[in-house]
Amino acid sequence: MDLRLSHLINGQARSAGDGAWLDVFEPATGQVCGQCPDGTADDVAQAVEAAQRALPAWSALPAADRAAWMNRLADALEARVDDFAAAESRDVGKPLALARNLDIPRAVTNLRFFAAAATQFASESHGAPGIVNYTLRQPLGVVGIISPWNLPLYLFTWKFAPALAAGNCVVGKPSEVTPVTAWMLGELAREIGFPAGVFNIVQGRGAVVGQALVDHAQVKAVSFTGSTAVGVRIAESCARSLKKTSLELGGKNATLVFADAPRAKLLDTVVRSAFLNSGQICLCGSRLLVERKYYEEFRDALVARAQAMVVGDPNDAATHLGPVVSKVHFDKVMACIELARAEGGRVLCGGEAVQPEGRCRDGWFIAPTVIEGLGPSCRTNTEEIFGPVVTLQAFDTDEEALALANATPYGLSASVWTSDLSRAHRLAERIEAGVVWVNTWMNRDLRTPFGGVKQSGLGREGGWEALRFFTEAKNVTIDLG
Ligand code: NAD
């Protein structure tokens, strides 16, 4: 059945102001599965107005009351986890089990985590003889959040939960490529009677709805996750009105594998970090740097694992990789593989589209692809591909490994596999990334700072960092006389 989605504005479901719709595709079949409002700048203006009206009451609520609302929403979401997982899987093409075990539970956790954080957030006081300085942490007002298609509900909630917890009202724009679960969450909020206007969702295209949100004079901050190109554009727009920005952007993350790596979880984890969600996670390790004396053994084991992965229907429990998210993205990833060949890369496995039988024959599937023989400065090893494609490079020394790890314009995350603790600490200190994992990957504690350096972004999310971003610090100085 085709879905007709809506905005959530002032607690009401609305269509686009000019009645236009965008098609929503199911990547596993390549077919249209619904319509999403093609929102307008006027829709954004109405949402911001609603948020502005809701702000005095929401920001004045005791933190525990805001937390109670967020927990109610989390409970309602948890009660519908299977419906949401099915929708997320259909919208993104990710295996149902992944949506069921990772995406939707994490969205529930995001809400609960920041509900709890709201009740624990505190500010500083700086005493001096005869003087007291204390800091107020006040909500910013109406804030805009803009999220991408790869982890739709997971990242949408990761942004609006801290914004609400800190006492702001929100206008959110999910990706037009994957708008369904944000719409469903809006419907849930209506069902439980979440205070109208506190959070609003405007569906539509980035260049229209996203840009209008970024440019709106009453929007005090923009929290964005997406590509570096769009992030730069948002930073430029926000600079004109000095809006606060948090930018979580692209990555080209290195996985450093030393010959002394503890082997028990190594291959399972590296394969997961390479191909989870068809490689469409900003944290995926797409450049595998391997100590030369272990290179061939590791390469052969990796290729065997990649060849054994099942690419197919996301609904099938045996499937490891679903399709990539869209036809446009499929074409981009396939072009990247062609470019790797043109640059002299040897495709060891994959490198081609997959056409499953049955209902998925027209979906956008790509086989897990491993490429070797390319140096650090070629486009394949410096530009983000964001698909099931990894490259292998060999190194001899720690210094060489470090130079390779840092040889891209990006700096989101890295993982280092070694049994030598001193080496791990030394490298962690010098790798240019916001997150470094040692002998693990995507091991997340929501209290830790999350974000990237260089072209991977500006600012940090997570824990107090997020609550600090969504508040303004005001210093009050009292002379005790
Ligand atoms: P994208 O930049 O194309 O779109 C992201 C969002 O921005 C979408 O909602 C889109 O509609 C909106 N947008 C587009 N143009 C806009 C404009 N001019 N003004 C305002 N909003 C606009 O990214 P994508 O293709 O949806 O997502 C993939 C990218 O996201 C990859 O580069 C990936 O690395 C990155 N990503 C980063 C993180 C992180 O935490 N660093 C996490 C997930 C994804």
Side-chain angles (χ1 to χ4, degrees):
M1 187 189 68
D2 271 7
L3 288 171
R4 273 264 160 134
L5 313 189
S6 48
H7 302 316
L8 174 72
I9 297 178
N10 201 27
Q12 291 166 359
R14 303 245 190 104
S15 302
D18 60 7
W21 298 92
L22 296 170
D23 283 339
V24 181
F25 289 85
E26 178 177 7
T29 62
Q31 306 302 312
V32 174
C33 62
Q35 266 89 38
C36 155
D38 186 8
T40 63
D42 190 50
D43 298 340
V44 172
Q46 289 184 32
V48 173
E49 217 174 276
Q52 202 76 49
R53 278 197 306 273
L55 186 64
W58 181 254
S59 59
L61 276 186
D65 293 2
R66 289 201 295 270
W69 274 114
M70 292 169 64
N71 280 324
R72 250 170 256 169
L73 189 59
D75 292 345
L77 177 57
E78 193 170 47
R80 297 267 310 276
V81 68
D82 289 325
D83 297 343
F84 274 77
E88 202 73 300
S89 166
R90 184 161 92 147
D91 216 14
V92 187
K94 62 181 67 201
L96 183 56
L98 181 60
R100 177 67 183 76
N101 298 329
L102 177 75
D103 291 72
I104 309 304
R106 173 60 191 274
V108 173
T109 302
N110 287 340
L111 288 164
R112 294 205 176 122
F113 174 84
F114 281 110
T119 67
Q120 304 297 314
F121 193 38
S123 59
E124 311 85 36
S125 161
H126 301 84
I131 300 282
V132 172
N133 280 282
Y134 64 87
T135 305
L136 293 173
R137 281 270 166 194
Q138 296 174 312
L140 301 172
V142 177
V143 298
I145 66 169
I146 301 175
S147 54
W149 49 254
N150 63 327
L151 300 164
L153 197 68
Y154 174 136
L155 290 176
F156 196 63
T157 51
W158 177 237
K159 292 182 173 303
F160 85 67
L164 293 185
N168 303 282
C169 289
V170 174
V171 178
K173 194 208 97 60
S175 170
E176 64 274 37
V177 181
T178 54
V180 176
T181 48
W183 164 71
M184 289 170 69
L185 193 74
E187 292 297 289
L188 265 195
R190 292 195 320 125
E191 267 170 53
I192 66 167
F194 205 94
V198 169
F199 87 88
N200 304 274
I201 299 169
V202 184
Q203 304 276 7
R205 285 170 290 155
V208 180
V209 171
Q211 194 65 47
L213 190 54
V214 166
D215 289 339
H216 198 294
Q218 294 307 317
V219 171
K220 301 301 180 204
V222 174
S223 176
F224 169 80
T225 297
S227 63
T228 298
V230 173
V232 167
R233 204 189 159 117
I234 288 177
E236 285 168 357
S237 302
C238 287
R240 283 197 283 276
S241 52
L242 296 180
K243 282 191 176 79
K244 237 177 159 180
T245 49
S246 165
L247 304 171
E248 299 294 338
L249 311 177
K252 189 76 183 172
N253 310 308
T255 303
L256 290 73
V257 181
F258 287 84
D260 68 354
R263 302 289 164 90
K265 294 182 302 171
L266 173 68
L267 268 167
D268 281 351
T269 313
V270 171
V271 166
R272 212 172 108 79
S273 81
F275 299 121
L276 192 69
N277 205 32
S278 297
Q280 303 167 120
I281 298 182
C282 54
L283 302 169
C284 278
S286 56
R287 293 181 302 134
L288 309 184
L289 315 177
V290 187
E291 192 171 353
R292 199 174 309 277
K293 59 188 177 203
Y294 179 39
Y295 181 87
E296 287 183 11
E297 182 186 340
F298 177 85
R299 175 196 62 195
D300 295 347
L302 175 78
V303 169
R305 293 286 190 111
Q307 284 171 328
M309 294 184 103
V310 178
V311 181
D313 192 335
N315 291 337
D316 188 335
T319 292
H320 298 112
L321 272 81
V324 298
V325 77
S326 65
K327 175 74 167 79
V328 171
H329 196 54
F330 173 88
D331 290 341
K332 181 208 152 174
V333 175
M334 293 306 290
C336 288
I337 295 171
E338 278 324 299
L339 174 67
R341 285 195 172 101
E343 288 184 316
R346 283 186 298 284
V347 175
L348 302 176
C349 64
E352 66 209 359
V354 174
Q355 191 177 28
E357 287 179 358
R359 80 170 196 109
C360 294
R361 68 186 168 277
D362 295 324
W364 302 308
F365 296 84
I366 299 175
T369 300
V370 179
I371 299 170
E372 71 170 359
L374 290 170
S377 57
C378 66
R379 287 181 57 194
T380 303
N381 274 328
T382 52
E383 296 178 7
E384 187 179 47
I385 298 174
F386 217 56
V389 181
V390 297
T391 62
L392 283 161
Q393 296 173 75
F395 64 82
D396 288 300
T397 64
D398 291 18
E399 283 304 312
E400 223 183 298
L402 181 69
L404 288 175
N406 289 340
T408 81
Y410 293 104
L412 186 54
S413 71
S415 39
V416 179
W417 290 83
T418 180
S419 295
D420 180 339
L421 201 55
S422 303
R423 166 194 279 152
H425 284 300
R426 274 197 309 270
L427 286 171
E429 207 174 289
R430 295 174 64 199
I431 288 175
E432 294 164 356
V435 181
V436 177
W437 284 291
V438 177
N439 300 332
T440 184
W441 175 73
M442 213 163 94
N443 196 329
R444 295 275 299 118
D445 179 326
L446 303 192
R447 296 169 299 180
T448 59
F450 178 84
V453 301
K454 304 199 297 194
Q455 297 291 299
S456 289
L458 266 187
R460 293 293 178 272
E461 299 185 310
W464 301 143
E465 300 278 350
L467 293 179
R468 289 193 189 110
F469 174 77
F470 283 116
T471 51
E472 197 74 78
K474 182 190 285 174
N475 175 237
V476 181
T477 307
I478 303 171
D479 185 334
L480 300 177

